[in-house]
Amino acid sequence: MSTRKILVTSALPYANGPIHLGHLVEYIQTDIWTRFQKMQGHEAWYVCADDAHGTPIMLRADKEGITPEALIAKTSEEHQADFADFNIAFDHYHSTHSDENRELASDIYLKLESAGHIAKRTISQAFDPEKQMFLPDRFIKGECPKCGAADQYGDNCEVCGATYSPTELKNAVSAVSGATPIEKDSEHYFFKLGDFEAFLKEWTTSGHVHESLENKLGEWFEAGLQDWDISRDAPYFGFQIPGSDNKYFYVWLDAPVGYMASFKALCEKQGLNFDEYWAEDSNAEVVHFIGKDIVYFHALFWPAMLKGAGFRTPSKILAHGFLTLNGEKMSKSRGTFIKARTWLDHMPAEPLRYYFAAKLNNGVSDLDLNLEDFVARVNSDLVGKYVNIASRCANFITKKFDGQLTEITEAHPLVAECAAAAPQIAELYEQRDFARAVREIMALADKANQYIAEQEPWALAKDESKLPQVHDICSTGVRLFHILSIYLKPLLPALGEKAEAFLNLPPQQWSDVGQNLSGHAINKFKPLMTRVQSEDIEKVLEVAAEEAKAFAEPEKKVEATNPIADEIEFDDFAKIDLRLATIVEADHVEGADKLLRLQLDLGDETGGVKKQVFAGIKSAYDPEDLIGKTTVVVANLKPRKMRFGMSEGMVLAAGPGGEDLWILEPSNNSRGKFSQAGNRVK
RNA sequence: GGCGAUAUAGCUCAGUUGGUUAGAGCGACGCAUUCAUAAUGCGUAGGUCCCAGGUUCAAGUCCCGGUAUCGCCA
């Protein structure tokens, strides 16, 4: 088998927040695949970086009173600690805010520009006059133009699902300063994606992306490839575009370049040849693992950029689905948003690696973390089946045979069968069908346990003359455990190391599956892993629930502008006779700015009392809309002489004033009954 | 709203180009066993393959319509 050169990447996590379990699906998937390739003896490199640019990071740093550089340095440290503790073994972890990335992004841009793939034109965009900055869609809030829902973002409505442009939003405000955005012109730079249509059509349908994504890509082609806006105006945290005054690369332009930049840094560290992997004629493999949400960037923009700048294009874009928790989308407010660190505070990393692997295949379907299933599956498979094989054999070897294995016949049917599965399991790893690989491996573990149960070494051990048989059986069991350990090692690197320590073997490669352990001395068995406790899961969920509260509360912490009045006795309230009344007449009052004159009918219960009331609701109601409505009136208020006539009561209304004023109207009840004028309000 | 994906046992999932009686693991129940971290082995129960049409000798699988869930809309 020839040695492959493979550069592997995971999508770059954004430096604006912590790593959560959803992120980990991808990093664990990528890590398993890369570890597998390394075990095969291939030259595989796994690089990643923090995605450190863009408006959200700039604003967050501003809010925290630190520089963006300080913010991303802090985040990077946290991200790397999280990854390390999940045994994600990057060969290099970089940042898109790095010299390598600046050089590469500029280089790619300049090449695209000189080849005529960059267009410049002026567009009009929302601008925050207070902060003196252009506002991305996500930073404009207002009312949905379709359904009127309040507090919606500038791109789509979370209530009715409508999509629109920020300029259509009603009563828009800047989420940054609260100011009303204005429209402002600015020159933007565009990458002419359409120039690459023919290339991309060919590229995307020739095995570089998963076929289930071809439909989706087809849609995009059908809609027509549009120019991509790659510039942002200052202030912006990013790289200045060469040859421009105040234009910066849009974060998504330099993000994928970060893959190259991280690898470049690795090259300097390891003395590798960058061009061997990235030159146009490179025969190395470049494999990107991504989530299905960013296929557009990786399957269209990215290969087009590389092609246009004279670099090689990716070998594979591998997209996975999203993580759900107990069947539901992870949500910060519902307390199902679990950070990597929260998990690690209460649980070991490897069971999660195993569980994800057991459910990952090469498709893009979503993956559910069912916590009950997780506990049962991990304990049953790993402790009950796999570790148990070593555990039940080791004592005999240690106590009766001084830790020495016997002559193991590789021709033993079960050993032969187990070892013969190597190519098939390797192929499943290669195809990223980890779920199937896990099933195959566990089926072999079942067979090992069956074998030991049938042979009953514990029964034979009672008879001195049968000890050689016991030795054979248990040595075979250990050998089977050895093979299974190699199969599981990409998934469970830490457990694999413990297994190697027990087996007294150096770090195992895939080819060691065939290694004969005859006469080999093993070490005393120590429990390799402990069972996952559901109480620990509970703790994780409790912390997530706490965080959900903290997430929800700040919104409620508003200053009381209109505090509740002093307490009163019931008698005080009972003195007020509130009645339902029908508005029978309503008209404007000559010479009054705020008043409307209402003629009210207080209904039969009052003996048909009619009252004239002047109400200060002109700013919010037209008289004709009021006629026929039933409302609430203070019926026993002492009449008061006003300039325009007698006011014999008071209509109740709520709201701060102006257009924001609402009179009260009784609602129909659930039994379909209607209230009547004259009913007392109590 | 447009487009896409998914729907199979209590739970999590397999089911290859349509082809006998729809499978696995976990869970439940029963039995056996005690070397092993209450770990293993044998067995039993459990399914209207989301609903409704259609194609076919034959549909979990193909086609059409619907429902639900999820995602994407640069």
Side-chain angles (χ1 to χ4, degrees), chain A residues 80 86 201 235 265 278 297 303 435 475 544 582 616:
Chain A
Q80 292 194 59
F86 269 98
K201 273 186 174 163
W278 284 103
F297 293 98
S475 297
T582 305

Side-chain angles (χ1 to χ4, degrees), chain A residues 358-379:
Chain A
K359 304 187 84 165
L360 273 167
N361 57 31
N362 59 13
V364 290
S365 53
D366 290 351
L367 183 159
D368 186 44
L369 170 56
N370 181 292
L371 293 172
E372 232 174 278
D373 185 52
F374 166 77
V375 174
R377 181 83 187 257
V378 166
N379 287 338

Side-chain angles (χ1 to χ4, degrees), chain A residues 509-633:
Chain A
Q509 297 296 303
W510 196 261
S511 54
D512 291 323
V513 163
Q515 190 191 336
N516 191 322
L517 296 184
S518 290
H520 184 73
I522 60 167
N523 289 316
K524 191 164 183 298
F525 180 81
K526 289 179 224 151
L528 300 178
M529 74 173 281
T530 49
R531 309 172 72 77
V532 172
Q533 306 292 330
S534 19
E535 298 84 72
D536 295 338
I537 297 273
E538 293 299 323
K539 284 183 204 150
V540 170
L541 289 177
E542 275 167 31
V543 174
E546 283 296 309
E547 286 170 350
K549 257 194 237 161
F551 176 77
E553 259 164 15
E555 304 216 351
K556 287 182 187 160
K557 269 192 190 164
V558 280
E559 285 277 308
T561 55
N562 195 354
I564 292 171
D566 294 339
E567 195 173 274
I568 58 165
E569 294 298 327
F570 177 77
D571 289 347
D572 296 328
F573 168 71
K575 283 182 194 160
I576 307 166
D577 189 354
L578 298 171
R579 296 287 177 146
L580 296 187
T582 305
I583 302 170
V584 289
E585 288 175 30
D587 35 44
H588 290 289
V589 182
E590 190 92 20
D593 297 339
K594 296 177 179 172
L595 296 180
L596 292 180
R597 189 188 68 84
L598 306 178
Q599 188 69 38
L600 303 174
D601 181 349
L602 272 65
D604 294 345
E605 285 185 30
T606 62
V609 170
K610 307 263 194 298
K611 277 181 183 283
Q612 171 175 272
V613 169
F614 290 94
I617 55 174
K618 185 175 174 176
S619 54
Y621 286 95
D622 296 328
E624 55 270 26
D625 292 334
L626 286 169
I627 295 170
K629 277 196 195 315
T630 298
T631 187
V632 181
V633 63

Side-chain angles (χ1 to χ4, degrees), chain A residues 38 43 45 47 90-92 263-273:
Chain A
K38 290 182 179 184
E43 184 182 320
W45 303 103
V47 300
F90 297 118
D91 289 295
H92 188 69
F263 183 67
K264 185 147 203 172
L266 176 73
C267 288
E268 273 147 38
K269 202 163 74 177
Q270 296 276 345
L272 299 169
N273 182 353

Side-chain angles (χ1 to χ4, degrees), chain A residues 19 133 143 159 165 191 490 551 657 664:
Chain A
I19 300 300
M133 60 178 282
E143 290 156 29
V159 177
S165 78
F191 174 51
F551 176 77
L664 303 187

